[in-house]
Amino acid sequence: MEIKVVHQIMEWNEDVSNEVKEELKSKKVCLVNVMGSPGAGKTSLITTIINKLGDKYRFGVIEGDIAGQIDAEKMKALGIPVVQLNTDGACHIEAMSIQNILPDFNLDELDVIFVENIGNLVCPAEFNIGESFRIAILSVPEGDDKVAKYPLMFATTDGLVLNKYDMIEYFDFDTERVINDAKDVNPDVKIMNVSSRTGEGVDELCEWFCSKIK
């Protein structure tokens, strides 16, 4: 019975995800699902992209957290339309939540909506939310074994950002291992070494990002 229930939930989520995708397509808005562990640098990366491309695209942000609104306040300070989504314990965001939030934005005045998903390398990967594409973030301090341990997260992403790359000299982090592990589960994934602090890799990231906006 448990397997059947989960199957039904996933089918329901997929239906709603497709509805969200169609609504955003009609408004020519791109939804970007940003995923990674707590502390991987999701908020900083989103902020970096917004600051770099703010003259080219009109951005909005959905901040997903189990509780609180710290990251939403950071986005609000940038003058970005932002909605805080608190899941009250749930480890992921579902498509229905995105569908319910969209009316809070003026979609005619946006080109891109970032969704900062719950800090987790497991659950968020299983749920489509109507996104146009996904960015997974793996920070150097987390270690180079995460792709092997949590393959679904990296198998379902379009771009993999190796974040906080300026710290590579301080950690035993094997970049080649991560690249090989990621390519094994996702041959087409775009892998980028990035540091929001120093600016390393930001131009490459933004160039790739722009190529994904449709």
Side-chain angles (χ1 to χ4, degrees):
M1 289 298 292
E2 289 183 3
I3 294 176
K4 182 178 181 181
V5 171
V6 170
H7 183 61
Q8 289 175 343
I9 290 173
M10 294 294 282
E11 284 186 347
W12 167 80
N13 186 79
E14 195 65 24
D15 288 342
V16 178
S17 174
N18 288 333
E19 291 172 7
V20 170
K21 188 172 292 187
E22 286 302 312
E23 179 179 359
L24 292 174
K25 182 179 179 181
S26 71
K27 293 292 185 176
K28 298 182 179 179
V29 175
C30 182
L31 190 73
V32 184
N33 189 357
V34 181
M35 302 177 291
S37 299
K42 296 185 293 297
T43 305
S44 296
L45 194 79
I46 291 171
T47 301
T48 296
I49 294 174
I50 290 174
N51 286 336
K52 187 77 172 178
L53 299 175
D55 60 345
K56 187 170 184 176
Y57 303 112
R58 299 166 297 173
F59 291 98
V61 177
I62 297 172
E63 283 290 349
D65 288 294
I66 291 177
Q69 57 184 47
I70 295 173
D71 294 334
E73 293 291 345
K74 294 177 182 177
M75 293 299 168
K76 183 180 178 182
L78 296 176
I80 302 298
V82 58
V83 175
Q84 177 69 53
L85 170 60
N86 287 344
T87 63
D88 298 323
C91 62
H92 63 276
I93 293 174
E94 296 180 3
M96 179 63 77
S97 295
I98 302 300
Q99 189 174 60
N100 290 338
I101 285 173
L102 289 182
D104 292 326
F105 291 102
N106 185 344
L107 297 180
D108 293 322
E109 296 182 355
L110 294 177
D111 301 305
V112 179
I113 298 176
F114 280 111
V115 178
E116 183 174 339
N117 218 311
I118 306 300
N120 191 317
L121 287 178
V122 182
C123 304
E126 299 178 3
F127 288 82
N128 293 322
I129 56 173
E131 65 266 56
S132 303
F133 62 95
R134 292 179 167 189
I135 299 175
I137 302 177
L138 172 61
S139 66
V140 167
E142 292 177 74
D144 55 22
D145 59 350
K146 296 301 178 289
V147 177
K149 287 184 174 180
Y150 307 101
L152 182 61
M153 170 62 67
F154 304 97
T156 60
T157 193
D158 299 279
L160 169 57
V161 172
L162 303 185
N163 204 27
K164 305 183 182 181
Y165 207 75
D166 55 301
M167 303 180 72
I168 190 73
E169 63 181 298
Y170 303 109
F171 292 88
D172 184 15
F173 187 91
D174 187 341
T175 302
E176 287 303 313
R177 176 189 179 180
V178 175
I179 291 173
N180 291 334
D181 287 347
K183 290 292 186 178
D184 281 345
V185 297
N186 189 351
D188 297 324
V189 67
K190 173 68 173 179
I191 303 173
M192 295 156 282
N193 304 335
V194 175
S195 169
S196 297
R197 188 178 68 86
T198 67
E200 177 183 356
V202 170
D203 287 344
E204 180 187 7
L205 169 64
C206 289
E207 183 179 351
W208 173 81
F209 183 89
C210 291
S211 74
K212 301 294 290 184
I213 303 298
K214 299 177 182 178

